[in-house]
Amino acid sequence: MRNYFAPLQSPRKILDVGTGTGKWAVEMANEFPDCEVTGTDLSPIQPEWVPENVQFIIDDAAEDDWLIQPDTYDYIHTRLLLGCFEDFRDVIRKSYRYLKPGGWMESQEVYPTLYCDDGTMSDDFPFMEWTRMQDSAAMNVGRPLRIANKLKRWYEQQGFVDIHEDVFKLPINPWPKDPQLKMLGRFNENGLLEGLQAFTLAWFHRGLGWTKEEIEVYLVQVRKAISDRNVHAYHKV
């Protein structure tokens, strides 16, 4: 597993926007012990015992001022922030300001639309229907999910140069024959099933007006669809 694709060479300061559990920040601090790694998030869910070169700050990246000096960081990282901001271009714009000249920014995102190359996914596939409804709910509350396919263009518009875009397939379950893709599918299926309720409740309640009971009943068929090995569906990362 790779934590980054940017060609980092002895970075001194790294910023992880939306650090979540802080796991990535801790792993980067261990890899670069002479680097100061800062993770920001709205929720204080990070561990207390971390390497000395890691710090976590409760901060809202949507605010105009990130409480740091311009030209500060060698590397700014974001991951899985779809649906977190009204306009992710603001995060890119601020990151450009706070990066040192020659610094790197990297964003890793899942594109929520489902794909299938062999015709095994029907138009009424319940998990695909769920992704469409989640997308509508997110748009209704002003937190768009479909940002992954726009990142390269947004980076260019902000003024970044030497931009690289890699696109990977992420199967929804272990349907592929390829061993690596099968393993990724197994991990993804587990994550989708464990997180499905959390991925649904807020969006469907706030964006579509559904009750908790209606959501729970609806998710039964969605869970079955996610685990259907006969449907060769995948996301793009």
Side-chain angles (χ1 to χ4, degrees):
M1 298 292 290
R2 297 178 62 171
N3 278 321
Y4 58 92
F5 288 86
L8 301 183
Q9 295 181 351
S10 303
R12 305 299 296 183
K13 292 179 74 71
I14 289 176
L15 176 64
D16 185 27
V17 179
T19 193
T21 64
K23 182 176 184 292
W24 183 90
V26 170
E27 291 181 357
M28 292 295 284
N30 286 327
E31 181 172 349
F32 299 104
D34 295 326
C35 177
E36 177 185 311
V37 182
T38 301
T40 64
D41 205 281
L42 287 174
S43 303
I45 60 173
Q46 300 78 34
E48 295 183 12
W49 299 98
V50 297
E52 292 183 354
N53 57 325
V54 176
Q55 63 172 338
F56 295 116
I57 299 174
I58 304 305
D59 192 28
D60 185 357
E63 297 291 337
D64 285 336
D65 188 356
W66 283 2
L67 304 177
I68 52 180
Q69 294 296 318
D71 304 336
T72 295
Y73 288 96
D74 301 292
Y75 178 58
I76 295 179
H77 169 268
T78 75
R79 180 180 297 189
L80 289 178
L81 296 184
L82 66 168
C84 292
F85 298 94
E86 292 182 4
D87 192 341
F88 192 75
R89 287 174 292 185
D90 286 341
V91 176
I92 299 174
R93 174 178 57 82
K94 296 167 191 170
S95 296
Y96 188 88
R97 178 188 179 198
Y98 293 118
L99 277 173
K100 294 178 181 178
W104 293 89
M105 181 180 181
E106 180 168 350
S107 297
Q108 300 183 7
E109 290 292 339
V110 172
Y111 193 62
T113 300
L114 274 184
Y115 292 88
C116 178
D117 298 333
D118 61 5
T120 55
M121 183 174 69
S122 63
D123 290 338
D124 59 353
F125 183 53
F127 187 41
M128 183 166 65
E129 180 190 62
W130 176 86
T131 62
R132 291 170 176 164
M133 296 178 67
Q134 186 198 40
D135 183 79
S136 296
M139 295 302 291
N140 288 343
V141 299
R143 293 289 191 274
L145 298 171
R146 286 175 283 115
I147 66 173
N149 63 327
K150 303 179 180 71
L151 289 172
K152 183 179 180 181
R153 183 174 78 250
W154 289 346
Y155 271 55
E156 291 170 344
Q157 292 172 346
Q158 180 53 53
F160 281 98
V161 296
D162 194 13
I163 300 169
H164 302 263
E165 180 182 52
D166 295 311
V167 182
F168 305 95
K169 288 185 177 181
L170 181 61
I172 65 170
N173 64 50
W175 62 260
K177 294 181 180 179
D178 177 87
Q180 184 176 15
L181 288 175
K182 183 179 289 292
M183 179 186 67
L184 289 173
R186 186 171 292 111
F187 287 143
N188 194 30
E189 178 189 25
N190 184 64
L192 288 170
L193 292 176
E194 287 193 2
L196 187 64
Q197 183 190 56
F199 300 152
T200 308
L201 282 174
W203 293 121
F204 280 49
H205 177 66
R206 297 174 191 166
L208 301 178
W210 286 32
T211 66
K212 184 176 185 295
E213 291 73 21
E214 289 173 330
I215 293 170
E216 292 293 354
V217 172
Y218 172 71
L219 290 183
V220 172
Q221 61 174 340
V222 180
R223 289 189 178 93
K224 292 179 180 178
I226 290 172
S227 296
D228 188 347
R229 308 297 198 262
N230 295 315
V231 178
H232 300 164
Y234 62 91
H235 288 112
K236 291 182 179 180
V237 179

